[in-house]
């Protein structure tokens, strides 16, 4: 960590002694320089959107929600009035705890300009009393199977082709909701709908540049005007309430106590289609607390978030092979640090360098000890399955970062600047005219869209990096129903 302030020896009889600059003990880097580099990274990483880009973002969102409405109408499997969670940042950015091994590599600037993750409930259990008890007998910690016996006969009938079947000795049949079969169904349904949409293209409709199934995730890249937007769509099971396995976590003291209410934190959780290292992929789901994390993020200081984003950019490049550490691990460590350290310390605006160095130290400590507890279920060690060889390889790589953090920050800055240059080049080659939304006929109806574009620009500016919860009715996709944290629009 950074060295304390010291003083040079002054001339005899002088009381004032010029101070040394604050230094990082391990690397000798000036803390002031590291702070400036983090600020520069943030400036290039968080781009401002003009009216045109804001309208393109809205057009892409409109298209995705319209598409999901059509998927619901195919076979009525999805809930009619569904509640999505839209997160800024793709799955590869660690916004949800999903293994990255099965995902194709996409690069910002080369493949897309902006990325989002959309959690789409295939099933909802919203009338359950707290706490929610899951069938974890066959699973590792933080994972569960899901029996359709919790649902009515109509739901079982609709979804049994996406289940694995277990026959009991007493002759009863149990249907377990299968994450892999659900993902296969979802990908096939989306492909059918997109094929139908593209047969009757409308003016201003986004161009579907890529649709790929990455493990249990469906990745769609849309071209809208001069923008390319990546949507990682994740089929999930949505619950109201809180899982019994995480009940003890609520009994502890946390950094968010007194800042947000417990009701906001425990309003719901998800099962996402990811299994444990030794789990059965066809049956096992992973618990996700993405909805809670959206709330907790409101209590994290901007300087710590800047350090986290810079650290994430460094480790994504450095620790990509073999895939063992994901940005979600780093996010968990940041939440633990918020619980461990005084709020007054974490609120210091000029401490981003200290936070960056601390996150690197924390990550290295977790690797050396092969221990990274899940923030909500601490008894679950997210690094338990890694080999000693893998953790030591990554620990050594992090040691090189810790020895020269300034150089690695400069590399991260160059990468994000290069991505932005690629985006600007595409924009220069693309259309410079206004892009109407898919519903627009190019006439006077553009005026409301322009007003919406300005409103969206204001929302993006005022809520950088925040996540959006979306409420959509497939029978009425013409009106926006979205929420940024606790604000509705």
């Amino acid at each position: 960590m950074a060295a304390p302030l010291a003083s040079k020896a002054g001339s005899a009889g002088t009381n004032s002694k010029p101070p040394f600059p604050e230094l990082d003990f391990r690397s000798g880097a000036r803390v002031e320089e590291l702070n400036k580099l983090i600020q520069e990274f943030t400036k290039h990483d968080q781009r401002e959107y003009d009216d045109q880009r804001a309208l393109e973002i809205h057009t892409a969102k409109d298209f995705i929600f319209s598409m999901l409405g059509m998927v619901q109408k195919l076979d009525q499997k999805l809930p009619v009035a569904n509640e999505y969670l839209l997160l800024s940042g793709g799955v590869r950015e660690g916004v949800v705890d999903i293994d990255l091994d099965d995902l194709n590599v996409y690069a910002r600037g080369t493949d897309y300009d902006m990325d989002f993750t959309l959690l789409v409930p295939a099933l909802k259990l919203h009338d359950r009393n707290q706490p929610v008890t899951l069938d974890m007998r066959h699973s590792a910690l933080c994972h569960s199977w899901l029996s359709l016996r919790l649902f009515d006969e109509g739901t079982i009938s609709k979804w049994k082709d996406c289940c694995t079947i277990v026959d009991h000795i007493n002759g009863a049949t149990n249907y377990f909701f299968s994450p892999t079969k659900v993902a296969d169904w979802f990908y096939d349904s989306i492909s059918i709908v997109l094929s139908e949409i593209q047969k009757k293209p409308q003016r201003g409709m986004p161009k579907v540049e890529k649709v790929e199934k990455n493990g249990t995730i469906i990745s769609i890249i849309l071209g809208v005007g001069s923008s390319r937007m990546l949507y990682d769509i994740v089929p999930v099971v949505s619950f109201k309430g809180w899982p019994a396995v995480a009940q003890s976590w609520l009994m502890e003291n946390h950094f968010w106590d007194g800042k947000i209410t417990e009701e906001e934190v425990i309003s719901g959780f998800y099962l996402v289609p990811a299994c444990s290292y030794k789990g059965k992929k066809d049956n096992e789901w992973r618990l996700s607390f993405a909805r809670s994390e959206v709330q907790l993020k409101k209590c994290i200081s901007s300087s710590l978030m800047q350090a986290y984003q810079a650290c994430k950019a460094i480790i994504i490049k450095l620790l990509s092979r073999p895939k063992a550490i994901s940005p979600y691990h780093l996010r968990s460590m940041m939440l633990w640090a918020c619980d461990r350290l005084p709020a007054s310390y974490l609120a210091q605006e000029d401490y981003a360098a200290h936070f960056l160095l601390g996150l690197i130290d924390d990550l290295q400590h977790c690797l050396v000890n092969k221990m990274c507890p899940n923030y909500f279920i601490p008894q679950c060690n997210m690094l338990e399955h890694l080999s000693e060889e893998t953790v030591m390889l990554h620990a050594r790589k992090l040691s090189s970062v810790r020895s020269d953090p300034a150089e690695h920050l400069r590399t991260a800055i160059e990468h994000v600047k290069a991505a932005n240059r690629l985006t600007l080049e595409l924009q220069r080659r693309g259309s410079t005219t206004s892009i109407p939304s898919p519903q627009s006929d190019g006439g006077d109806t553009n005026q409301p869209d322009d007003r919406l574009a300005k409103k969206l620009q204001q929302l993006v500016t005022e809520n950088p990096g925040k996540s959006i919860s979306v409420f959509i009715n497939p029978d009425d996709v013409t009106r926006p129903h979205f929420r940024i944290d606790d604000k509705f629009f």
Side-chain angles (χ1 to χ4, degrees):
M1 292 301 293
L5 288 174
S7 298
K8 292 182 180 179
S11 56
T14 352
N15 290 326
S16 69
K17 301 177 181 178
F20 279 129
E22 192 175 6
L23 302 177
D24 169 38
F25 188 91
R26 174 70 188 90
S27 65
R30 291 189 174 203
V31 169
E32 183 182 5
E33 181 190 9
L34 294 178
N35 275 327
K36 287 179 179 177
L37 288 170
I38 293 170
Q39 289 170 9
E40 184 179 358
F41 173 83
T42 302
K43 180 183 73 174
H44 294 293
D45 189 51
Q46 294 182 354
R47 296 144 296 159
E48 292 185 0
Y49 302 140
D50 57 16
D51 287 359
Q52 179 64 25
R53 180 60 67 90
L55 181 55
E56 291 168 354
I57 292 172
H58 168 67
T59 301
K61 175 182 71 69
D62 229 23
F63 179 85
I64 291 291
F65 295 157
S66 297
M67 176 200 75
L68 290 172
M70 295 174 69
V71 168
Q72 193 278 333
K73 290 179 179 179
L74 273 183
D75 50 16
Q76 306 295 313
K77 275 186 162 71
L78 294 181
V80 174
N82 216 349
E83 181 181 340
Y84 307 150
L85 186 67
L86 179 62
L87 305 167
S88 52
V91 167
R92 295 156 193 80
E93 292 291 312
V95 296
V96 285
D97 183 16
I98 290 182
D99 307 311
L100 306 182
D101 298 18
D102 298 329
L103 303 186
N104 292 338
V105 177
Y106 299 149
R108 187 175 129 188
T110 304
D111 301 297
Y112 64 90
D113 308 311
M114 287 165 287
D115 52 337
F116 304 92
T117 298
L118 187 63
L119 304 189
V120 179
L123 288 176
K124 297 194 297 182
L125 271 172
H126 281 192
D127 57 348
R128 309 293 290 178
N129 294 322
Q130 299 178 21
V132 179
T133 302
L134 297 168
D135 185 357
M136 308 181 84
R137 294 169 298 171
H138 316 286
S139 307
L141 271 170
C142 214
H143 297 79
S144 179
W145 290 22
L146 182 68
S147 169
L148 287 195
R149 284 191 297 186
L150 295 170
F151 298 86
D152 56 56
E153 287 299 323
T155 301
I156 294 173
S157 177
K158 276 194 292 190
W159 282 107
K160 64 183 179 182
D161 57 335
C162 290
C163 293
T164 57
I165 300 172
V166 176
D167 292 319
H168 293 287
I169 299 174
N170 62 6
T173 299
N174 202 349
Y175 295 94
F176 287 101
F177 207 41
S178 169
T180 52
K181 291 184 178 182
V182 170
D184 289 341
W185 165 83
F186 206 20
Y187 175 71
D188 291 342
S189 299
I190 286 175
S191 299
I192 290 169
V193 165
L194 289 177
S195 176
E196 288 300 312
I197 290 174
Q198 289 168 323
K199 287 177 184 177
K200 299 176 182 178
Q202 299 179 29
R203 185 180 177 211
M205 188 175 74
K207 178 185 177 185
V208 181
E209 297 189 354
K210 188 174 291 186
V211 183
E212 290 187 336
K213 185 169 173 288
N214 289 283
T216 53
I217 309 304
I218 294 86
S219 299
I220 300 176
I221 297 179
L222 300 176
V224 189
S226 57
S227 302
R228 297 160 301 165
M229 299 177 207
L230 166 64
Y231 272 83
D232 284 327
I233 302 178
V234 187
V236 299
V237 181
S238 173
F239 293 84
K240 290 291 186 188
W242 198 247
V245 68
Q247 199 71 17
S248 60
W249 177 79
L250 295 175
M251 304 298 109
E252 306 294 332
N253 293 324
H254 297 291
F255 71 98
W256 47 267
D257 292 338
K259 298 176 183 175
I260 52 177
T261 66
E262 186 174 285
E263 287 72 24
E264 290 175 289
V265 174
I266 65 171
S267 62
F269 68 99
Y270 299 98
L271 296 181
V272 296
C275 74
S276 60
Y277 179 63
K278 293 183 179 179
K280 189 174 180 182
K281 285 188 175 183
D282 288 344
N283 281 28
E284 197 170 82
W285 299 77
R286 181 171 296 160
L287 274 75
S288 169
F289 300 90
R291 184 180 293 278
S292 302
E293 289 163 4
V294 168
Q295 299 299 324
L296 299 186
K297 192 175 176 181
K298 294 190 288 188
C299 304
I300 299 176
S301 70
S302 59
S303 51
L304 179 55
M305 283 305 302
Q306 288 175 9
Y308 164 74
Q309 295 292 351
C311 189
K312 183 173 71 171
I314 291 171
I315 70 164
I316 283 177
K317 298 291 183 185
L318 188 73
L319 306 184
S320 60
R321 295 287 185 274
K323 289 181 180 176
I325 294 294
S326 84
Y328 189 81
H329 292 106
L330 186 66
R331 176 186 286 228
S332 300
M333 294 169 202
M334 177 177 65
L335 293 173
W336 281 118
C338 289
D339 273 358
R340 184 176 69 244
L341 296 164
S344 56
Y345 170 74
L346 294 174
Q348 297 297 314
E349 293 184 2
D350 57 348
Y351 273 34
H354 299 77
F355 302 152
L356 172 69
L357 298 173
L359 287 170
I360 296 169
D361 288 340
D362 259 9
L363 185 53
Q364 194 168 21
H365 175 84
C366 288
L367 284 166
V368 168
N369 292 280
K370 211 167 77 170
M371 172 63 71
C372 179
N374 181 283
Y375 181 67
F376 299 92
I377 306 177
Q379 59 270 38
C380 172
N381 176 13
M382 296 189 292
L383 300 183
E384 186 177 26
H385 64 281
L386 297 180
S387 68
E388 297 292 336
E389 181 184 12
T390 297
V391 294
M392 290 312 296
L393 171 65
H394 284 320
R396 284 194 292 270
K397 288 181 180 178
L398 276 178
S399 180
S400 71
V401 177
R402 196 60 187 80
S403 299
D404 195 353
E407 183 58 32
H408 285 83
L409 276 171
R410 292 188 192 99
T411 301
I413 290 167
E414 287 308 311
H415 280 141
V416 74
K417 286 167 71 174
N420 290 341
R421 282 195 298 269
L422 284 170
T423 295
L424 289 172
E425 180 60 31
L426 180 74
Q427 288 176 337
R428 279 193 291 268
R429 295 200 307 264
S431 169
T432 57
T433 59
S434 292
I435 304 297
S437 74
Q439 288 80 21
S440 172
D441 60 4
D444 293 339
T445 51
N446 272 342
Q447 189 177 357
D449 281 337
D450 290 340
R451 289 199 300 269
L452 180 58
K454 291 177 182 177
K455 187 175 181 181
L456 284 172
Q457 181 196 7
Q458 182 183 356
L459 296 184
V460 170
T461 303
E462 292 176 352
N463 303 277
K466 290 189 177 178
S467 302
I468 306 170
S469 181
V470 178
F471 302 83
I472 194 75
N473 185 337
D475 296 316
D476 180 13
V477 296
T478 60
R479 295 188 299 127
H481 312 267
F482 55 97
R483 177 181 70 193
I484 298 181
D485 287 343
D486 55 352
K487 301 177 189 174
F488 285 85
F489 301 92

